[in-house]
Amino acid sequence: MERLGRITTSLPDLPISRDMTYGAMRRAIIGLPVTVSSAILPDGLWGCYDDENHVILIDRRLTYAAKRCTLVHELTHWRHGDASCEHVARSREEHRARRETALTLIDPLHYGLLEQMYDGNSWNIAQELEVTQQVLGDFRQIMAEHVCIV
């Protein structure tokens, strides 16, 4: 069981970890009931998940770091069965996928070391973590929400 906020879920764990490359993640998910393919997607769209066919498409023009982040993001949509066309539900699903992606890919202790090493330079930190600026920004937002001053 995993705790997400106040909701307890019994969703399956993904066989991926933050230390894996994009290629290693692709190999690790081969046995899952979801197909991952690359394609040339419309401008601005990095990836998408089709719940009806259980297919994830990732834009082949992305960097490996962007593909890695997009794969985890779309796998999160798959894992939760996100298929809503309703704007409000889609917004909640997107917010959840972004948060879970950031928490999956970034180790807080490693991030803290890099924050000090690079004096907060987000480009250098994202490069070291092999994540996009967006994922790093999402992680920073999560950490800011959980700062506890005693």
Side-chain angles (χ1 to χ4, degrees):
M1 295 285 240
E2 181 179 333
R3 291 203 49 85
L4 300 173
R6 296 173 200 240
I7 301 169
T8 302
T9 66
S10 59
L11 298 172
D13 288 332
L14 294 173
I16 58 173
S17 63
R18 64 179 51 106
D19 62 333
M20 295 173 121
T21 64
Y22 173 69
M25 287 180 181
R26 288 284 304 261
R27 288 187 295 278
I29 64 169
I30 286 174
L32 295 179
V34 62
T35 301
V36 178
S37 296
S38 63
I40 305 257
L41 298 178
D43 287 342
L45 188 62
W46 288 18
C48 59
Y49 170 62
D50 174 8
D51 188 54
E52 186 177 326
N53 297 303
H54 300 285
V55 172
I56 292 171
L57 294 177
I58 297 176
D59 193 310
R60 67 178 56 171
R61 299 169 291 187
L62 298 176
T63 65
Y64 278 106
K67 287 179 181 180
R68 183 173 175 266
C69 294
T70 303
L71 177 61
V72 173
H73 180 95
E74 298 305 333
L75 282 169
T76 301
H77 284 306
W78 166 77
R79 183 173 174 254
H80 287 283
D82 293 345
S84 178
C85 292
E86 183 185 326
H87 179 69
V88 173
R90 221 178 27 223
S91 176
R92 280 192 304 261
E93 292 168 355
E94 192 62 21
H95 181 72
R96 180 187 59 215
R98 287 179 63 166
R99 290 178 61 86
E100 287 187 27
T101 298
L103 293 171
T104 297
L105 292 175
I106 300 177
D107 172 56
L109 293 176
H110 189 201
Y111 166 77
L113 291 173
L114 294 173
E115 185 73 36
Q116 290 179 351
M117 181 188 300
Y118 292 115
D119 198 28
N121 182 294
S122 63
W123 190 87
N124 288 332
I125 295 168
Q127 292 297 304
E128 282 282 335
L129 295 171
E130 296 183 77
V131 298
T132 62
Q133 291 286 321
Q134 179 182 332
V135 169
L136 179 61
D138 291 342
F139 182 80
R140 284 177 163 172
Q141 181 64 40
I142 293 164
M143 293 299 103
E145 292 168 3
H146 290 89
V147 169
C148 179
I149 300 174
V150 179

